[in-house]
Amino acid sequence: MAKTKSRVSNKVRAFRFTHGEMTQQDLANSIGVTRQTIIAIEQGKFCPSLESALRLERLFKVPVGELFSLEDG
Amino acid sequence: MQSIPLISIIGTVVWTVLGSYIILKTIKKKKQRQFFSEHAFFVSAMILLVVAPLMSLAVFAFNHTLNLWGGTVQVVIAVLLFAAAYRSKKYRLNPTEKESSSSFREKSAHLIFVAEILIFSGYFFKTWNSNFEAIIPSFIASAALLVVIMIAGHIAIALLHSPLEELDDAIDERDKAVALSSTRNAYYVLAVGFWSVPILIIAPVTTAFALNCWFAIFILSDLVKYGSISLYYRLGES
């Protein structure tokens, strides 16, 4: 099976701003990670675990599919 | 036998009196309720600086040789404590500083990587083809230097990190993922190297050389681990 290289992009930063202009530290505290992890997620350098993605879904009240999307490279 | 120059004794006495006066004057601030954390760092640094020459003289009195090693360590730690005092005062006066983009763990990995390269490249350059008599003192000196650099470096990193509260952060999923991938990379080097060195036993090399090769494999795998951690934190782990 040929494996296509894909990349996960996200709108965490946009939702953070529309959600009362939350700081990265506030978001980190809400989902139980460090501020540097939020920076890495927003820059697309790190894909959060399913648990953290579901926490983001619950926090922003949007489906995970709207927060994260798969882009074929 | 070496003798202590008179100027050193006079200098130590003058410095001890002056240093003690500064320490006592700073501690007096406590009564005036003007004693903050920066003063605690400052007093600790001054105590070390006052004790350093006294200890060097005491070591000389017992061994009759000049040994600057103990004094050097104290001066290095004192300089760091002065930096802590400066940082502490800055933080007290302006608590809303710019936040660091990299974590303490990431900076720690950079430090370990660079320190190991510097120290052990010198060690292997010096001892690569030596016998046990030459290797053991170099090994002990390198290990001691590494410990000193680690302690001083980590204090410096902690002092430069902002905000200070982040130093208490527990490891999270990204830290675990980075550590796991980096340890895996290091394991490949360790496994291949560890089982390759016994081949040297059948080659005409000394036991000291073979053991040094083994040690080099351990250091190389450690470098791969901390190099990978640095890279994964910067470029992303996948």
Side-chain angles (χ1 to χ4, degrees):
Chain A
M1 193 176 79
K3 190 181 172 189
T4 51
K5 199 169 179 177
S6 49
R7 179 178 171 275
V8 177
S9 66
N10 69 77
K11 294 176 188 164
V12 172
R13 190 178 167 83
F15 277 105
R16 184 163 61 79
F17 279 106
T18 55
H19 214 79
E21 296 205 355
M22 268 181 124
T23 64
Q24 289 172 327
Q25 187 64 64
D26 290 339
L27 181 57
N29 293 342
S30 303
I31 66 165
V33 294
T34 60
R35 185 175 56 82
Q36 283 79 19
T37 297
I38 297 297
I39 296 172
I41 292 171
E42 288 185 354
Q43 290 176 346
K45 289 181 182 173
F46 178 68
C47 287
S49 64
L50 182 60
E51 186 185 338
S52 296
L54 292 171
R55 281 182 201 275
L56 286 170
E57 181 189 65
R58 191 190 288 171
L59 183 76
F60 293 137
K61 297 181 181 70
V62 286
V64 172
E66 207 172 311
L67 271 170
F68 297 92
S69 54
L70 197 64
E71 289 174 359
D72 292 328
Chain B
M1 197 174 84
Q2 292 171 293
S3 64
I4 309 173
L6 187 65
I7 188 77
S8 299
I9 298 172
I10 295 170
T12 303
V13 172
V14 170
W15 170 238
T16 307
V17 172
L18 184 70
S20 305
Y21 172 74
I22 294 169
I23 291 167
L24 289 173
K25 205 161 181 208
T26 312
I27 291 174
K28 266 189 180 174
K29 283 176 182 278
K30 213 166 187 175
K31 285 183 186 164
Q32 300 156 358
R33 294 184 183 277
Q34 285 178 329
F35 192 87
F36 302 107
S37 54
E38 67 256 29
H39 296 113
F41 285 124
F42 180 78
V43 167
S44 310
M46 283 303 295
I47 290 171
L48 278 175
L49 285 186
V50 168
V51 169
L54 286 174
M55 271 194 69
S56 290
L57 286 183
V59 168
F60 185 85
F62 280 108
N63 294 346
H64 296 289
T65 52
L66 277 175
N67 185 354
L68 295 173
W69 181 242
T72 309
V73 173
Q74 283 154 347
V75 170
V76 167
I77 297 171
V79 168
L80 287 170
L81 286 168
F82 280 128
Y86 169 76
R87 169 64 202 268
S88 189
K89 186 177 181 184
K90 206 176 147 200
Y91 190 69
R92 180 170 60 82
L93 298 175
N94 180 24
T96 53
E97 292 176 285
K98 194 175 177 289
E99 293 170 329
S100 307
S101 63
S102 47
S103 67
F104 177 77
R105 281 181 195 84
E106 182 181 344
K107 291 173 188 167
S108 166
H110 297 326
L111 170 73
I112 297 170
F113 184 71
V114 173
E116 283 192 348
I117 285 185
L118 291 177
I119 292 170
F120 289 109
S121 56
Y123 165 81
F124 286 114
F125 182 75
K126 199 175 167 190
T127 64
W128 193 242
N129 238 340
S130 306
N131 52 16
F132 275 119
E133 285 74 33
I135 287 175
I136 291 169
S138 293
F139 178 79
I140 293 169
S142 302
L145 188 61
L146 188 67
V147 170
V148 172
I149 289 179
M150 288 296 149
I151 294 170
H154 279 97
I155 295 171
I157 290 171
L159 292 173
L160 294 170
H161 192 82
S162 176
L164 288 174
E165 293 77 31
E166 277 185 1
L167 298 176
D168 292 331
D169 279 351
I171 57 166
D172 70 355
E173 58 189 63
R174 178 165 166 256
D175 298 318
K176 283 179 192 167
V178 165
L180 194 68
S181 303
S182 308
T183 308
R184 178 202 58 203
N185 294 348
Y187 173 75
Y188 292 145
V189 177
L190 190 64
V192 172
F194 189 85
W195 295 112
S196 305
V197 173
I199 296 167
L200 285 176
I201 292 169
I202 54 170
V205 294
T206 61
T207 316
F209 181 79
L211 284 176
N212 232 358
C213 286
W214 240 329
F215 183 55
I217 296 298
F218 279 109
I219 296 300
L220 189 63
S221 70
D222 218 37
L223 285 175
V224 169
K225 181 182 171 185
Y226 288 104
S228 300
I229 290 177
S230 299
L231 271 180
Y232 286 143
Y233 271 128
R234 277 293 95 190
L235 306 176
E237 193 277 329
S238 55

